[in-house]
Amino acid sequence: MMKILLTICSLLALNISANATALSAGLSQDETAKAIKLAPYQQRDFQDEVFYFVLPDRFYNGDKSNDLGAAAGDKKRALSRGGLDKTHKGMYHGGDLAGLTKKLPYLDNMGITAIWLTPVLRNQAMQAGTSGYHGYWILDFTEIDPHLGSNADLKHLIEQAHKRNIKVFFDIITNHTADVIKYEECHGKDGLGWLVKGDDCPYKSLAQLVEGDVYTPLIPVGSENLKTPSWLNNIDVYHNQGDSHWAGESSIRGDFAGLDDIDTNSDKVVAGMVDIYKAIIDEFKPDGFRIDTVKHVNMEFWQDFSPALMAHAKTQGIDNFFMYGEVYSFEPELLSRFTVEGKLPSVLDFALQGALQKTLVEQQGTDVLATLFAQDHFYQTTHDDIENTNANQLVNFTGNHDMGRFAYSLKQSKHNYSELEQIQRNLLAHAMLYFSRGVPVIYYGDEQGFVGDGGDQASRQDMMPSKVASYNDDDLLATDKTTAADNFDSSHLFYQSFTQYAELYQQYPALRFGKQSTLYAQDKPGVFAISRTHKLSENGQDKEQELLVVFNTANHVESLNVLDSHIHRDKNAKLLYLSNDSQDDDKIAPLSFAIYQLK
Ligand SMILES: [Ca+2]
Ligand SMILES: [Ca+2]
Ligand SMILES: [Ca+2]
Ligand SMILES: [Ca+2]
């Protein structure tokens, strides 16, 4: 243990010395951060953002009085009460919007400029033995879940974030509501039981429906008016075809493990959903939406929904309102269908996540990254009713609340990486989020070395002191702490590193807006080099900024001779940042990266 700690300390020392190389005019880190002037949030482009993705329930408890959700005796919200068990990873833990508001300085100091919250609308607190702490089981699309706070608390969070020039994005759902509707054939005449073995209701196809082979959907007595707005209580606005088996038409029309799948093929439903989220924009004035389960809704829905909401936000004075969808696919050709055909401004870049996994966990060649970026042209849109976008607006991430953390993938790897190597590979993956095209997202807790035991509940640890045994037995990266302690440590190596990455990202427009070209890749781990070029106007003169970013994905020193024509023969090439400066000029240290300015 001691040896590992010493190595980490020396790694930290390396980082600090590299930082000194990076920051011009001898400014301290703090001074530089302040010197970088972010445009005001109202005018700031989506590509300027550094995102932090957080589950408010797992972040910080700012108000203990709301831990049980709706007040006792509140008949209208009775199903939004309870579910608190701090020792259980599938239950509410007490974190809330007030807590997030209190911790804004922690995010601000790390260079976070936008927050993406998991859904905050009022949920059904309990379903099938676990709770709606994650927010994806909505009953009421007009009010904030009482476990998280009130509508006023959300407005206060946004107001305080905006004061710090931080944007707030909501996670929204149009695919399903909470599980209220049951099928007589599966759950009995009262809808309260399970008649089908295996706890699922097999999907009935459109062809079966034509033959009259249908389910008899019902709403159990007493649950007829649970949902808001009230049109959602009409059984006819759902597909009612049973559970999705994640393939073919069931992927669009089936229930997501019992969650009532909305009939998004109906014009009335499209209009109703547009109205729901127009009202959310009007009330809260968020800076944008992340959209859940996009792949499970028909394309025609998005073609109407996206332009309608983008235009509406502008009428509310949110000129740079932006939306990105969750399309769970690793193929750029499929991902881009939802921007090109579906008219969504952007999507989460699952394909980049897959490439990071292949190169940095599985040790495939850096040509995997080159192949990915060579498909960026798929994302160029040519719409006439919505602003056009391209791969620069993709949303980059290393892991998330469903698939688990990148640190977990590293820990699980058959390569048995040492702790130091896990740290280095994790940092390099995150550097790729900031310095290749696309907008970086930090998954909360990654900056504290969180690891986890897998995806879903196992990757949703508490930042506040946790009581979950399976979280607290984790060996966190680059710290001696466990999740049993408070983990808002601004001296953590990852927090410090991400802060530096954010500073570089904000300092050089080419890193945010630059056209990206691959300069070098190979069929094994090692050098991957890209250039980022961007035209900017300085003192009335047009000039081009050109940066060169070099990653070494190998666990050995690599020569930079392959980049000689760019770095050494170009006398103007200036080293801006070196993540590990233990090598001389023409070499790059294992699992490290360097940034040069060519113009
Ligand atoms: Ca609370
Ligand atoms: Ca259901
Ligand atoms: Ca659906
Ligand atoms: Ca564990």
Side-chain angles (χ1 to χ4, degrees):
M1 191 56 167
M2 203 54 202
K3 184 143 186 274
I4 288 170
L5 273 181
L6 282 172
T7 324
I8 293 163
C9 287
S10 61
L11 191 70
L12 183 56
L14 283 177
N15 249 281
I16 287 165
S17 78
N19 192 37
T21 320
L23 304 174
S24 53
L27 292 179
S28 74
Q29 198 175 314
D30 281 355
E31 285 166 322
T32 308
K34 279 179 203 141
I36 297 165
K37 258 248 170 293
L38 268 185
Y41 72 93
Q42 300 95 328
Q43 287 136 41
R44 202 161 67 225
D45 195 278
F46 181 69
Q47 288 178 68
D48 285 320
E49 311 306 345
V50 175
F51 270 87
Y52 192 76
F53 169 33
V54 60
L55 281 88
D57 176 65
R58 301 299 162 92
F59 199 63
Y60 191 68
N61 195 348
D63 179 1
K64 292 197 166 47
S65 76
N66 62 20
D67 289 2
L68 281 174
D74 179 344
K75 278 198 182 127
K76 181 173 179 261
R77 296 171 187 78
L79 291 187
S80 299
R81 178 174 171 81
L84 181 77
D85 181 350
K86 294 179 182 182
T87 68
H88 190 306
K89 63 186 175 179
M91 302 295 272
Y92 285 97
H93 290 180
D96 49 34
L97 297 170
L100 189 54
T101 308
K102 283 200 177 111
K103 292 294 182 185
L104 284 172
Y106 167 84
L107 301 181
D108 201 358
N109 291 336
M110 193 172 75
I112 297 300
T113 67
I115 300 168
W116 149 26
L117 304 166
T118 42
V120 291
L121 295 171
R122 188 160 69 79
N123 269 232
Q124 175 152 277
M126 292 300 295
Q127 255 178 228
T130 64
S131 83
Y133 70 94
H134 43 68
Y136 293 98
W137 299 342
I138 300 173
L139 282 179
D140 186 335
F141 288 78
T142 67
E143 67 178 9
I144 301 310
D145 192 279
H147 294 85
L148 302 178
S150 61
N151 290 31
D153 290 334
L154 181 58
K155 287 173 197 168
H156 181 63
L157 166 66
I158 294 170
E159 183 189 282
Q160 294 303 309
H162 282 171
K163 271 191 187 160
R164 291 181 172 273
N165 209 5
I166 293 174
K167 294 183 183 177
V168 179
F169 280 60
F170 300 170
D171 201 329
I172 68 163
I173 308 166
T174 67
N175 179 61
H176 58 258
T177 68
D179 178 9
V180 174
I181 297 173
K182 303 291 177 182
Y183 303 115
E184 205 177 297
E185 292 76 6
C186 305
H187 313 108
K189 283 217 184 299
D190 58 4
L192 301 176
W194 281 103
L195 299 180
V196 175
K197 237 178 128 189
D199 280 15
D200 73 336
C201 300
Y203 180 73
K204 290 195 191 290
S205 68
L206 287 169
Q208 280 172 287
L209 302 197
V210 170
E211 298 293 317
D213 181 5
V214 296
Y215 280 120
T216 316
L218 66 103
I219 296 178
V221 173
S223 297
E224 296 86 350
N225 295 304
L226 286 180
K227 296 179 190 173
T228 307
S230 59
W231 62 268
L232 287 166
N233 293 308
N234 178 354
I235 223 160
D236 297 333
V237 302
Y238 299 86
H239 284 124
N240 299 322
Q241 288 173 246
D243 283 316
S244 172
H245 51 83
W246 321 114
E249 58 170 73
S250 89
S251 161
I252 301 239
R253 306 177 70 95
D255 297 336
F256 211 103
L259 296 168
D260 305 347
D261 197 72
I262 300 172
D263 180 9
T264 46
N265 300 79
S266 132
D267 289 344
K268 261 195 191 156
V269 167
V270 178
M273 273 294 157
V274 166
D275 284 347
I276 282 176
Y277 287 109
K278 274 184 179 173
I280 293 283
I281 291 174
D282 294 353
E283 181 170 4
F284 298 102
K285 306 273 192 304
D287 300 288
F289 291 150
R290 176 268 191 190
I291 310 174
D292 188 53
T293 39
V294 162
K295 205 170 71 171
H296 305 291
V297 173
N298 51 305
M299 196 64 85
E300 301 79 10
F301 176 91
W302 300 121
Q303 289 165 342
D304 292 339
F305 183 84
S306 180
L309 286 216
M310 292 298 285
H312 184 75
K314 282 201 169 57
T315 70
Q316 295 297 301
I318 317 170
D319 290 337
N320 286 333
F321 189 86
F322 201 84
M323 305 198 294
Y324 55 97
E326 176 214 22
V327 180
Y328 213 122
S329 161
F330 295 91
E331 300 301 326
E333 215 169 337
L334 205 157
L335 284 165
S336 62
R337 280 191 58 203
F338 292 88
T339 63
V340 173
E341 281 178 52
K343 297 189 174 178
L344 290 173
S346 186
V347 290
L348 283 154
D349 194 357
F350 278 84
L352 175 63
Q353 196 283 333
L356 295 177
Q357 173 86 21
K358 285 177 184 161
T359 50
L360 290 170
V361 180
E362 297 165 20
Q363 298 192 22
Q364 294 187 30
T366 58
D367 52 355
V368 167
L369 292 160
T371 303
L372 170 78
F373 294 130
Q375 297 171 79
D376 278 354
H377 60 89
F378 281 124
Y379 294 99
Q380 180 65 55
T381 64
T382 52
H383 301 308
D384 47 22
D385 55 351
I386 179 171
E387 222 164 293
N388 285 304
T389 51
N390 57 54
N392 267 5
Q393 280 110 329
L394 285 172
V395 183
N396 298 346
F397 63 98
T398 61
N400 66 27
H401 60 323
D402 292 324
M403 62 171 49
R405 298 177 188 273
F406 202 75
Y408 170 72
S409 303
L410 286 166
K411 183 150 256 174
Q412 280 304 100
S413 163
K414 64 176 186 193
H415 295 289
N416 292 320
Y417 297 125
S418 66
E419 179 167 9
L420 177 62
E421 199 165 336
Q422 289 173 46
I423 289 168
Q424 291 172 320
R425 287 178 183 275
N426 203 23
L427 280 172
L428 198 56
H430 282 89
M432 286 187 185
L433 299 187
Y434 286 81
F435 305 127
S436 49
R437 97 286 182 269
V439 176
V441 177
I442 299 301
Y443 180 44
Y444 86 97
D446 276 4
E447 78 281 13
Q448 296 294 334
F450 283 14
V451 179
D453 301 319
D456 205 86
Q457 293 176 4
S459 61
R460 301 171 183 179
Q461 299 96 321
D462 301 299
M463 293 282 287
M464 54 199 168
S466 183
K467 294 192 159 54
V468 177
S470 66
Y471 295 160
N472 293 345
D473 65 6
D474 289 3
D475 186 6
L476 308 191
L477 291 178
T479 176
D480 259 354
K481 279 191 176 183
T482 70
T483 50
D486 165 288
N487 277 284
F488 292 95
D489 178 6
S490 58
S491 71
H492 191 287
L493 172 66
F494 291 173
Y495 183 99
Q496 296 257 319
S497 301
F498 298 168
T499 307
Q500 291 173 21
Y501 300 171
E503 284 166 10
L504 282 161
Y505 182 75
Q506 299 300 355
Q507 202 170 352
Y508 297 96
L511 293 174
R512 310 193 302 280
F513 296 92
K515 182 177 148 36
Q516 175 172 316
S517 311
T518 297
L519 300 182
Y520 187 83
Q522 58 189 38
D523 63 4
K524 54 183 189 293
V527 172
F528 179 66
I530 52 174
S531 70
R532 305 289 310 271
T533 53
H534 180 63
K535 282 201 170 50
L536 44 134
S537 179
E538 226 170 61
N539 307 324
Q541 287 204 320
D542 282 347
K543 62 176 244 185
E544 192 177 62
Q545 183 172 77
E546 181 175 3
L547 300 192
L548 169 67
V549 189
V550 189
F551 302 96
N552 179 9
T553 67
N555 51 14
H556 54 256
V557 174
E558 282 270 324
S559 162
L560 285 178
N561 289 342
V562 289
L563 296 171
D564 231 17
S565 58
H566 302 285
I567 302 172
H568 300 117
R569 269 181 240 152
D570 183 346
K571 289 204 174 66
N572 295 321
K574 180 175 130 200
L575 180 65
L576 298 180
Y577 190 86
L578 205 48
S579 69
N580 179 342
D581 62 1
S582 64
Q583 299 301 321
D584 58 32
D585 247 19
D586 54 355
K587 295 198 174 61
I588 183 161
L591 299 169
S592 70
F593 70 97
I595 303 179
Y596 298 84
Q597 184 162 19
L598 302 183
K599 275 187 221 160

